[in-house]
Amino acid sequence: MDPVEALPDPSDDLDETLFERVCGLAEMFPEGLRSTTCSMVDNSVKLVKSTYSFGRHSVWIAFTSAIVLFGPVWIEIERSAIERELQRQLLLGPRGA
């Protein structure tokens, strides 16, 4: 008789789901450790969500403030560049530039 054939196959008698297995494994840890771990995970998720929300709002405020503050300056720079180009064309002709 082969020794490998004599061993029972452990997958034959498994009728539990993955959720049942995880719940069974969780019972081997003390309640204090489980509640501490759950609260740490919950607080970590809340921290990540609030950090993401703060980052989104900060980027929005910075971007809109930059547009409001520097938009008119950019428009004036472009307008003066166009005026200079038009003056150069008037003085030198269309082919002089």
Side-chain angles (χ1 to χ4, degrees), residues 70-81:
F70 299 117
V73 174
W74 177 72
I75 290 171
E76 274 302 309
I77 290 172
E78 289 296 317
R79 190 176 65 83
S80 67

Side-chain angles (χ1 to χ4, degrees), residues 2-96:
D2 192 13
V4 175
E5 292 177 13
L7 295 174
D9 189 11
S11 63
D12 289 341
D13 58 349
L14 293 179
D15 291 335
E16 61 185 16
T17 64
L18 181 63
F19 178 73
E20 291 171 342
R21 184 170 285 198
V22 169
C23 287
L25 287 174
E27 292 174 357
M28 65 187 252
F29 296 106
E31 179 61 35
L33 179 64
R34 286 186 285 176
S35 64
T36 302
T37 304
C38 286
S39 66
M40 286 176 60
V41 168
D42 288 340
N43 289 335
S44 298
V45 168
K46 287 178 186 176
L47 178 67
V48 168
K49 285 182 179 181
S50 64
T51 303
Y52 174 72
S53 177
F54 176 75
R56 260 188 0 182
H57 290 116
S58 299
V59 167
W60 174 254
I61 289 171
F63 182 72
T64 54
S65 297
I67 293 296
V68 168
L69 292 173
F70 299 117
V73 174
W74 177 72
I75 290 171
E76 274 302 309
I77 290 172
E78 289 296 317
R79 190 176 65 83
S80 67
I82 290 172
E83 283 180 2
R84 274 187 268 132
E85 184 64 33
L86 288 175
Q87 285 178 355
R88 184 176 296 132
Q89 284 181 359
L90 285 174
L91 291 174
L92 302 174
R95 296 179 190 248

